[in-house]
Amino acid sequence: METLYWILEYGKVLFGYMFFMFLWPSVVFSRHLRCKDKVYRFSFCVLVQVVIANSVVLVLGLLHILNRWVVFGVFHSVFWICVVKKMNIQYQSGSFRETLSSIYRFVMGTSGIKTFLYRGIKNYNTWFKNLFFKFWNIIRLHLMEYTVLLIIVIYGMIYFSWGQVQSYGYFFSDMYVHHQWIYGLQDGKIFVNGIYPEAMHCVVYCMNALFGIRVYSCLQLMGGVHIAVYLISAYCLMREIFQWKYTPLFALTAFLTLDTTVNLNFLFSMARLQSMLPQEFGMYTQFLCALFLIRYLKGTIHKDEHRKKVYKYNWDNNLFLFMIALADSIAVHFYITIMAFFLCIPFALFFIKRIFTKERFVPLVVSVICGVLVAVLPMGGALLSGIEFQGSIGWALGVMGIDTSKTSTDQAEKLDNNEKQVEKSESSRDREPENSSGQTGKKTDYIKLLQKVEKKLLVLWRGCVESYGNERAKIMVACMGITIVLLLIYHTGMIIWKILLKHSVKEWCFQLYMPLILASVILMAVEKASSLGLPQLIDSARLYSIEHMLLLIVMVMPADMLFTLFCTFCAESILHVLSVGVTVGICCVTIGLGNYHGLLIQCLTRYNAAVMVTNSIIDNFPKNKYTIVSPVDELYQVIEYGRHEELLTFVQEIQKEDYTLPTEYVFLFIEKKPIQYAQLHFADGPSWLGSSKYTDAFPQFRVHPDVPAGEISKEAAKKDVLQFALLSHSYTNLESRTILESKAYLWCQNFSKVHPFEMNVYYEDENFVCYYFKQNPFALYDLAIEDWDRMDGVQW
């Protein structure tokens, strides 16, 4: 039943996501999307809708009119107005008018049921056939390719959603903070904890407002849905770079099957993709930034066909989506903007001549400025209204080294001293009499430059080994080297072909390989920036997943060149079958060599029973008529529907006088085996989804359902409540949690003795029990029971 419940919740989230992110923009902007290619349509929907949600919610908040019904009215009214307009167009065309006329005749009794059903079925069949053939014409030329892509995407969604099947709590502590910010939007307040990129929160809030989907379910399950956008966006970028259309499938297959056990940070970075966190939500935008920048710069200059006149400025739809992708990255998370910058820079360098032309330079600069303004203006409005920046901004600046000037200075002095020592040793070892031309000095400078380059390359090599292991790092570097060699051979051959045989050369064939190779090296350098003596712009653990994707793209470049070569003398249908075989072969080789990945890591904060009982209470009891007494985790799940009382507060107050809870129902969550809070453990699943090798590499982490826990006892109930500087440590410390749970359990037993017919068991298993009682709201029970700590007759 629990699994069925989460499957239904997953279906709700999937429906809401598809409607809001794809159906709504497809209908509202149908005229603009008409005659556009599939990549443009997909990118437009996933980019523009985020900007719309962010802008609408934040502007309504600045105007102090943000509430669920206003958001509901704005989005639904726009959608249904567009639907009615389309129906009116169809009515004028005659087919829809005929259908309405048939319904009218049937209602008025001038047409029989058989005639009405016959016409209805006939019209339905015609509509279905037209829709089917329209869809078939889109995919028939790419049927095998799209089928494999669909299988890969579905597998990725299952893999990154599997943890929710086993652990129903939030996977990372950050998610509680983001839930709090979304609740602030529900309460009509934007930036409740300070100014912070809030586009992801606005999307979740809109789904809650439009469809009533619980925020908890969205944050818990939407990561497994949204991963499809991440994979398809990477696929779209690779289709622009590669010549053979199946090559992106090779990279995606490797990304979803190859293990990452060498580095724990790498494992955490991949695990974050399963959660609904701002950075992971917006990771796809960097791929689309690079994609539409490439498309814009590759495109031809717009001309007036009649006058043969070149337009002064070159504006097009690709530039528009580049601007929106940039705005999305800023509105979701600043780290993504930095990543997108480093991903786009190599392509900009490659097209440098095209950028600095009067037709393209001004539009590109204007689009960047507009993209920044679209994302930043709501934040600027909040800043002017008196809201300060959120504390995470200061943390991010600290990560970048802005507030660590002393440390940076010390590191710089240390590096300078090391360089001086190297220079001194080199000059003493290689000192030669100087001549008038200064040749010795030039030689020394050249040697020092080579030594510096060698040091930096060694740092990057060590970083690659740290992330992938020695053998796999060698393979990746070898693939990179093979690609570069093949490119040199190809371009040399093309030059000879053009000069001697006077044949034309395909302009863009393999031209985008080197920028992507450079981008992968740059991102690796950003990840190892501190080791290179550079400012650490991004926390290194946040870069592993994108770095992993780029390196795998580089690894499949030789395969792309080979398949492109085979196209000249081999039937394409044979290459299609061979490509599918290579995709399957990657999976087989990965598994056969023992490199198949394991299931992802999770952060366990409570028992599944606590989550399910909370959902049951929300579904079965009147809103705001109950109080749940438990640790803080239930607060975020129940905050929209009922009242929550901290377990720590409860234990402290029951020892005083005149303590009451002001609701008709009171539920007490007691862990008979207090959980080791925020423990890391691996999910367990079928062998086709992942191997168990991660548990061998990291034996300190348990595997589901093995959950380290304490046990309530008479001895623990006698102890005093432990005091901590941070109240959260009262739950994260196992001894403290055991004391609190033991005292609460003892209180429940004593309350049942004082009021023998009131205390009831709502749910109980070997680890967890939920008690509840009903009281008169106008004559509340005094919960501060006299001599409440008596233990006679209590079953522990």
Side-chain angles (χ1 to χ4, degrees):
M1 291 299 294
E2 294 178 357
T3 303
L4 178 61
Y5 174 85
W6 286 110
I7 290 175
L8 293 176
E9 285 295 299
Y10 190 89
K12 292 179 185 177
V13 173
L14 180 61
F15 166 78
Y17 184 87
M18 294 297 293
F19 183 97
F20 185 72
M21 294 293 289
F22 291 98
L23 182 59
W24 195 96
S26 296
V27 171
V28 174
F29 301 102
S30 59
R31 181 177 298 180
H32 174 75
L33 295 175
R34 191 179 302 151
C35 301
K36 298 295 192 300
D37 63 86
K38 297 181 287 294
V39 172
Y40 186 91
R41 287 169 174 262
F42 165 80
S43 304
F44 182 91
C45 290
V46 298
L47 291 174
V48 170
Q49 194 65 353
V50 174
V51 168
I52 291 175
N54 183 70
S55 301
V56 169
V57 172
L58 295 184
V59 169
L60 290 176
L62 289 172
L63 297 176
H64 303 289
I65 56 173
L66 177 63
N67 63 69
R68 176 182 178 181
W69 296 112
V70 172
V71 174
F72 181 92
V74 169
F75 281 97
H76 273 297
S77 60
V78 171
F79 177 79
W80 291 110
I81 287 173
C82 293
V83 170
V84 170
K85 284 184 176 180
K86 291 181 71 67
M87 293 174 64
N88 184 50
I89 293 173
Q90 291 183 357
Y91 177 78
Q92 294 176 356
S93 67
S95 59
F96 188 65
R97 184 189 309 173
E98 182 181 349
T99 302
L100 291 179
S101 177
S102 177
I103 295 174
Y104 176 78
R105 289 195 298 270
F106 172 72
V107 172
M108 299 302 295
T110 58
S111 175
I113 183 68
K114 292 182 179 179
T115 303
F116 174 75
L117 292 178
Y118 171 77
R119 289 177 176 174
I121 293 172
K122 181 180 178 181
N123 292 336
Y124 173 78
N125 287 338
T126 302
W127 175 83
F128 183 79
K129 286 180 181 179
N130 292 336
L131 181 65
F132 173 78
F133 284 116
K134 185 177 181 180
F135 177 74
W136 177 252
N137 289 332
I138 294 175
I139 69 169
R140 64 186 179 87
L141 298 178
H142 307 274
L143 181 61
M144 189 177 295
E145 175 191 356
Y146 290 166
T147 301
V148 177
L149 177 62
L150 180 63
I151 293 172
I152 291 173
V153 171
I154 292 175
Y155 174 83
M157 294 174 68
I158 295 173
Y159 178 70
F160 285 100
S161 301
W162 189 258
Q164 285 85 351
V165 177
Q166 296 185 339
S167 298
Y168 306 150
Y170 283 157
F171 287 171
F172 292 94
S173 59
D174 294 358
M175 299 179 73
Y176 292 104
V177 178
H178 296 301
H179 191 141
Q180 179 188 0
W181 296 349
I182 296 170
Y183 179 71
L185 296 177
Q186 291 177 307
D187 202 31
K189 301 174 182 176
I190 60 175
F191 306 121
V192 288
N193 284 354
I195 297 173
Y196 184 91
E198 215 167 21
M200 184 274 285
H201 311 87
C202 294
V203 170
V204 175
Y205 171 65
C206 287
M207 290 181 60
N208 171 262
L210 296 179
F211 311 108
I213 304 172
R214 294 175 182 171
V215 173
Y216 187 87
S217 297
C218 286
L219 291 179
Q220 178 72 357
L221 300 171
M222 213 159 104
V225 174
H226 188 70
I227 191 67
V229 174
Y230 176 81
L231 296 174
I232 296 174
S233 299
Y235 168 82
C236 292
L237 175 61
M238 286 187 276
R239 284 288 278 119
E240 190 70 25
I241 293 173
F242 291 136
Q243 299 300 308
W244 180 238
K245 57 187 177 182
Y246 283 88
T247 312
L249 303 180
F250 303 161
L252 291 180
T253 302
F255 179 80
L256 290 176
T257 57
L258 195 65
D259 74 80
T260 55
T261 60
V262 177
N263 190 305
L264 183 59
N265 284 333
F266 209 147
L267 191 60
F268 271 114
S269 182
M270 294 295 290
R272 286 176 62 92
L273 290 176
Q274 67 187 323
S275 300
M276 192 63 174
L277 295 168
Q279 180 186 327
E280 281 61 37
F281 174 80
M283 289 281 277
Y284 72 97
T285 60
Q286 59 190 310
F287 296 128
L288 299 183
C289 265
L291 168 63
F292 288 102
L293 177 63
I294 294 169
R295 279 191 165 193
Y296 173 70
L297 295 176
K298 282 174 62 175
T300 56
I301 301 295
H302 292 174
K303 296 181 180 180
D304 188 327
E305 295 296 333
H306 299 289
R307 300 178 183 177
K308 302 299 181 181
K309 180 181 178 182
V310 178
Y311 288 147
K312 186 176 181 180
Y313 299 119
N314 190 45
W315 304 89
D316 66 8
N317 291 323
N318 294 316
L319 187 61
F320 168 73
L321 283 189
F322 168 75
M323 178 190 72
I324 299 298
L326 176 62
D328 270 7
S329 68
I330 299 172
V332 175
H333 200 284
F334 295 146
Y335 271 178
I336 305 168
T337 309
I338 300 174
M339 294 181 194
F341 173 79
F342 288 116
L343 183 58
C344 292
I345 278 295
F347 295 102
L349 293 175
F350 177 77
F351 291 105
I352 193 70
K353 289 184 178 179
R354 290 196 163 211
I355 289 177
F356 287 103
T357 57
K358 62 180 181 180
E359 296 86 8
R360 284 192 171 93
F361 181 73
V362 172
L364 189 59
V365 171
V366 172
S367 68
V368 171
I369 295 173
C370 291
V372 173
L373 290 177
V374 167
V376 170
L377 278 179
M379 300 182 194
L383 188 63
L384 291 176
S385 67
I387 302 176
E388 297 181 353
F389 283 106
Q390 202 268 340
S392 297
I393 304 298
W395 171 81
L397 295 177
V399 170
M400 297 179 191
I402 293 177
D403 292 329
T404 56
S405 56
K406 185 179 185 303
T407 304
S408 300
T409 304
D410 293 341
Q411 291 177 349
E413 290 177 355
K414 186 176 180 181
L415 289 172
D416 289 340
N417 292 333
N418 291 337
E419 289 180 0
K420 289 178 181 178
Q421 291 178 1
V422 172
E423 293 174 10
K424 184 177 180 180
S425 60
E426 290 295 336
S427 61
S428 61
R429 183 174 57 188
D430 299 322
R431 186 178 291 119
E432 296 179 4
E434 295 187 4
N435 53 31
S436 58
S437 62
Q439 293 179 355
T440 304
K442 293 181 180 179
K443 181 179 179 181
T444 303
D445 293 340
Y446 179 72
I447 292 174
K448 287 192 294 184
L449 178 62
L450 290 178
Q451 288 176 341
K452 288 182 180 180
V453 172
E454 183 182 4
K455 288 179 183 179
K456 305 302 183 184
L457 292 177
L458 285 175
V459 170
L460 293 179
W461 168 250
R462 285 195 295 269
C464 191
V465 171
E466 180 184 343
S467 301
Y468 293 95
N470 189 53
E471 294 300 324
R472 202 173 299 169
K474 289 180 180 178
I475 294 174
M476 289 184 171
V477 173
C479 289
M480 191 178 297
I482 290 172
T483 302
I484 294 173
V485 171
L486 290 177
L487 283 175
L488 291 175
I489 295 173
Y490 167 77
H491 287 297
T492 303
M494 288 299 100
I495 291 172
I496 296 174
W497 184 273
K498 184 176 182 179
I499 294 175
L500 298 182
L501 302 179
K502 302 184 183 300
H503 283 274
S504 61
V505 182
K506 189 175 181 180
E507 185 179 359
W508 299 112
C509 193
F510 310 131
Q511 296 292 322
L512 298 176
Y513 282 11
M514 286 307 299
L516 190 63
I517 293 173
L518 181 58
S520 65
V521 174
I522 289 175
L523 281 176
M524 187 177 294
V526 172
E527 188 254 317
K528 297 297 177 186
S530 59
S531 301
L532 294 170
L534 301 173
Q536 188 74 48
L537 296 177
I538 305 177
D539 183 18
S540 59
R542 305 290 189 96
L543 280 166
Y544 279 112
S545 58
I546 178 63
E547 186 183 321
H548 183 49
M549 177 70 81
L550 292 182
L551 288 175
L552 291 176
I553 293 175
V554 173
M555 287 184 67
V556 299
M557 284 180 178
D560 183 65
M561 299 186 74
L562 290 175
F563 273 98
T564 305
L565 177 63
F566 292 158
C567 285
T568 59
F569 56 84
C570 185
E572 192 167 321
S573 58
I574 297 176
L575 292 179
H576 288 180
V577 176
L578 183 60
S579 298
V580 175
V582 171
T583 305
V584 175
I586 291 174
C587 298
C588 296
V589 171
T590 300
I591 296 172
L593 296 179
N595 292 322
Y596 192 48
H597 64 204
L599 294 176
L600 296 170
I601 200 169
Q602 304 164 27
C603 184
L604 192 64
T605 57
R606 52 182 172 152
Y607 288 110
N608 289 344
V611 180
M612 297 306 298
V613 168
T614 304
N615 283 330
S616 176
I617 294 170
I618 293 171
D619 292 335
N620 297 310
F621 288 85
K623 188 174 182 180
N624 297 323
K625 296 293 185 180
Y626 55 84
T627 299
I628 293 179
V629 179
S630 72
V632 70
D633 301 88
E634 277 70 38
L635 167 65
Y636 298 93
Q637 189 177 355
V638 79
I639 193 170
E640 305 167 52
Y641 310 99
R643 190 175 180 276
H644 181 269
E645 184 81 347
E646 288 284 340
L647 179 62
L648 175 63
T649 303
F650 179 82
V651 170
Q652 290 173 338
E653 292 297 325
I654 56 179
Q655 302 180 58
K656 301 177 182 178
E657 297 180 357
D658 299 327
Y659 174 54
T660 59
L661 292 174
T663 54
E664 183 177 359
Y665 297 94
V666 176
F667 295 86
L668 296 104
F669 286 16
I670 310 297
E671 295 173 358
K672 294 191 287 186
K673 295 181 179 179
I675 196 170
Q676 177 64 62
Y677 189 83
Q679 59 183 275
L680 298 176
H681 75 163
F682 290 103
D684 184 33
S687 58
W688 60 266
L689 194 60
S691 67
S692 60
K693 64 185 305 179
Y694 286 170
T695 57
D696 299 330
F698 303 103
Q700 68 270 32
F701 301 140
R702 306 292 183 92
V703 181
H704 182 87
D706 183 10
V707 179
E711 189 168 1
I712 58 175
S713 64
K714 180 188 303 184
E715 293 74 18
K718 291 180 180 179
K719 296 181 180 179
D720 294 331
V721 176
L722 301 181
Q723 302 296 323
F724 297 93
L726 294 176
L727 295 180
S728 60
H729 291 175
S730 299
Y731 304 128
T732 58
N733 181 279
L734 183 57
E735 181 183 3
S736 174
R737 192 181 185 98
T738 303
I739 293 173
L740 293 174
E741 298 286 0
S742 299
K743 288 182 178 293
Y745 178 80
L746 176 61
W747 182 92
C748 291
Q749 305 308 312
N750 290 333
F751 183 87
S752 64
K753 292 179 181 178
V754 177
H755 306 284
F757 301 105
E758 300 302 324
M759 183 66 79
N760 302 284
V761 176
Y762 189 80
Y763 173 88
E764 185 173 12
D765 60 29
E766 60 180 356
N767 300 317
F768 173 84
V769 59
C770 174
Y771 295 105
Y772 82 102
F773 61 87
K774 184 179 179 181
Q775 61 182 345
N776 186 342
F778 302 100
L780 300 173
Y781 287 123
D782 183 4
L783 304 182
I785 301 174
E786 184 179 358
D787 192 23
W788 72 274
D789 58 347
R790 58 192 174 189
M791 304 184 186
D792 298 336
V794 175
Q795 297 294 325
W796 296 92

